[in-house]
Amino acid sequence: MVLPHMDAAYNLARWLTRNDHDARDVVQEAALRAFRFLDGLRGEAKPWFLTLVRNSCMTWLKANRPAELIGMDPAAPGIPGNRR
C-alpha cells in the first residue's frame, strides 16, 4: 500500500532534510513504521504514509540537526498531513 508512494515520500524527506542520503534513511525508517502499523491504517495510504515520513524527518532532525528546527513549525500549513 505504501510502495506506490515512495517517490513522494522521498521528495518530502529530501525537501525537509536537504540531503539525499539523510532522506533515504528517513524514508526507510518511515517505511518500517508503516509496515509495522499497517493494521491501524484507516483511510487512504498516501496521506498517512507522508505523515509518517514528516514525523520521521522531524525526529531525525531533532536528533541530528536541532539548530535547523528553530523556526520550523511542523503544524504549518502546506506540510502534508496537516488539517490547516
Side-chain angles (χ1 to χ4, degrees):
M1 294 181 77
V2 299
L3 290 178
H5 310 297
M6 293 299 273
D7 287 339
Y10 172 76
N11 289 337
L12 175 61
R14 174 68 178 88
W15 179 66
L16 290 170
T17 63
R18 288 178 254 125
N19 182 290
D20 292 329
H21 179 44
D22 297 339
R24 282 188 234 121
D25 288 345
V26 167
V27 171
Q28 181 177 8
E29 177 62 32
L32 289 173
R33 281 187 192 169
F35 292 128
R36 193 174 317 136
F37 297 108
L38 198 57
D39 293 341
L41 174 63
R42 303 286 184 261
E44 293 188 35
K46 186 175 182 177
W48 175 75
F49 184 47
L50 291 181
T51 299
L52 286 176
V53 171
R54 182 202 59 205
N55 292 344
S56 293
C57 280
M58 293 302 155
T59 301
W60 188 91
L61 286 169
K62 189 182 300 182
N64 295 286
R65 292 190 246 155
E68 291 185 25
L69 287 177
I70 297 172
M72 188 181 235
D73 180 8
I79 303 291
N82 292 335
R83 299 187 189 272
R84 288 186 182 174

